[in-house]
Amino acid sequence: MAIHVPGIMHAKQILRQAKLIVSQGVSTSTVVPKGHFAVYVGENQKKRFVIPVSFLNQPSFQELLSKAEEEFGFDHPMGGLTIPCREDIFISVTSSLNES
């Protein structure tokens, strides 16, 4: 019997979409290391961050993904996962995840 966790399922859908975009050649020119993925963060001007996939299991990061889903659905204008929050908030969340 499988246990379904909504936040993780949404994250998997977003990553599948990002892989499709990359395979279509729409990705950015820089390489993302294995075990990581790129996200674009910002309210107006977007900045690219490369973060570990392990963040997908963290409730605070799943909350950011929910905000992204509410605003963009699965059609991300930057060609990758876009998180609509201030850069300083994103850095604060990911810094706390790096420490745990």
Side-chain angles (χ1 to χ4, degrees):
M1 179 192 276
I3 298 174
H4 295 284
V5 179
I8 293 175
M9 295 306 294
H10 291 296
K12 286 182 179 180
Q13 288 175 324
I14 290 170
L15 286 177
R16 266 191 233 116
Q17 182 71 17
K19 282 183 180 180
L20 177 64
I21 290 168
V22 168
S23 69
Q24 293 172 346
V26 183
S27 68
T28 61
S29 61
T30 58
V31 176
V32 177
K34 186 174 183 173
H36 292 72
F37 65 103
V39 295
Y40 296 89
V41 178
E43 293 174 321
N44 297 320
Q45 186 161 345
K46 309 292 187 231
K47 183 172 179 183
R48 184 175 191 262
F49 291 87
V50 176
I51 58 174
V53 295
S54 62
F55 284 7
L56 294 172
N57 294 325
Q58 304 300 321
S60 55
F61 192 77
Q62 290 176 6
E63 187 176 325
L64 292 176
L65 290 177
S66 292
K67 287 177 82 173
E69 181 185 12
E70 287 173 15
E71 185 159 329
F72 299 112
F74 294 108
D75 182 28
H76 294 270
M78 297 294 292
L81 177 59
T82 306
I83 298 179
C85 73
R86 292 190 347 235
E87 189 178 324
D88 61 326
I89 292 172
F90 179 81
I91 290 170
S92 174
V93 169
T94 55
S95 294
S96 67
L97 294 176
N98 280 327
E99 293 171 1
S100 42

